[in-house]
Amino acid sequence: MPTTLADIITLLEGRYDPAWAESWDAVGLVCGDPYAAVNRVLFAVDPVTAVVDEAVDWRADLIVTHHPLLLRPVHGVPATTPKGRAVHRLITAGIALYTAHTNADVADPGVSDALARAVGLTGPLRPLSPSADDPSRGLGRVGELPVPVTLREFTEATAKGLPATAAGLRVAGDPEAPVRTVAVCGGAGDSLLGTAQAAGADVYLTADLRHHPASEFREDGGTALVDAAHWATEWPWLGDAASLVRQTGVETRISTVVTDAWTFRSHEGSS
């Protein structure tokens, strides 16, 4: 029997229950026939034009993304808009789109587990901010490195463990400070700065840190910070999701197209 879209959705939702998603989120099936056969699945962080191009070229039957295409309410999907064009192209090509967002963030294992493993945390992990209904799940993860390293060495290992982006890594802290306990949160995580400090982390790795929260946190003696690109911190999760779906026997592919918003940077200072 061929694997159907419904079969894959059942598998994904067994690991990333849509009930765990935030109330403002938009997860689940965006377009596609649940009874259609699926032979090829492309995994990506963002459902943007370049990813749709890749799916069409590869003749995928399904794209699984972390970020939603239609997060805010819409009243139409005309092909005169970027999101509308994506929907039209997907339907015309017979490609389904499925999203696992904040429900994948809090899953066990979820987005932050994959991030933690990518940067060298090999031992047990615990949620940085446990879910009220199940403390084994929640946002972020905290764990221990096998051996202590300096902040500089941890940052170098993180740069190697994550996909490269134009923005690279921004670091706040003494490069020679020892690092053993690490807190991570895939995606935008400045709401958990204090939580990382309370967890006893030597460094907190996340994305989208803003000037004032980061500056005030460091001024108050907060833990060292490593700020990566949003896309890069969530990309490792694609491998976990692909491994899950691969159990059905379908062909999977992880997109390596860099869909981070920033394309280059300049280091030249003022004279």
Side-chain angles (χ1 to χ4, degrees):
M1 293 291 291
T3 298
T4 66
L5 177 57
D7 293 331
I8 293 177
I9 290 174
T10 297
L11 194 62
L12 287 168
E13 294 188 350
R15 173 75 61 85
Y16 313 114
D17 190 337
W20 300 338
E22 296 289 338
S23 60
W24 49 262
D25 204 1
V27 302
L29 187 62
V30 179
C31 64
D33 179 358
Y35 300 103
V38 172
N39 297 300
R40 287 182 166 182
V41 184
L42 177 67
F43 292 82
V45 175
D46 299 294
V48 295
T49 300
V51 170
V52 175
D53 290 342
E54 182 178 4
V56 172
D57 291 343
W58 188 53
R59 297 182 180 179
D61 303 300
L62 167 65
I63 304 173
V64 175
T65 64
H66 183 51
H67 291 149
L69 176 66
L70 305 172
L71 182 58
R72 295 180 176 84
V74 297
H75 301 287
V77 286
T80 53
T81 66
K83 292 181 184 292
R85 280 194 297 274
V87 171
H88 279 260
R89 290 187 66 202
L90 291 170
I91 293 175
T92 300
I95 301 172
L97 175 62
Y98 183 90
T99 296
H101 191 210
T102 53
N103 50 325
D105 286 333
V106 300
D108 176 26
V111 171
S112 290
D113 294 272
L115 173 59
R117 300 307 185 201
V119 301
L121 296 176
T122 58
L125 300 171
R126 64 185 188 275
L128 179 58
S129 178
S131 297
D133 60 331
D134 182 356
S136 68
R137 297 186 294 101
L139 291 173
R141 292 295 184 269
V142 181
E144 309 287 326
L145 293 171
V147 295
V149 297
T150 65
L151 178 59
R152 187 190 305 278
E153 290 169 332
F154 173 76
T155 303
E156 291 171 351
T158 297
K160 292 176 182 177
L162 298 183
T165 62
L169 301 176
R170 299 187 301 174
V171 186
D174 177 359
E176 304 309 315
V179 170
R180 183 66 183 268
T181 302
V182 178
V184 305
C185 183
D190 64 5
S191 65
L192 298 177
L193 285 168
T195 308
Q197 176 77 0
D202 299 310
V203 63
Y204 178 39
L205 165 64
T206 188
D208 296 346
L209 289 177
R210 295 171 294 162
H211 172 78
H212 290 295
S215 176
E216 292 168 6
F217 179 71
R218 290 290 298 156
E219 280 287 296
D220 196 33
T223 186
L225 302 174
V226 177
D227 182 45
H230 191 121
W231 169 84
T233 64
E234 295 175 330
W235 186 86
W237 169 77
L238 302 179
D240 286 2
S243 294
L244 178 67
V245 169
R246 205 173 296 128
Q247 297 174 19
T248 65
V250 302
E251 187 176 357
T252 62
R253 179 172 176 175
I254 298 170
S255 177
T256 57
V257 175
V258 178
T259 55
D260 184 55
W262 312 108
T263 56
F264 73 94
R265 65 183 296 173
S266 173
H267 294 278
E268 187 173 341
S270 58
S271 56

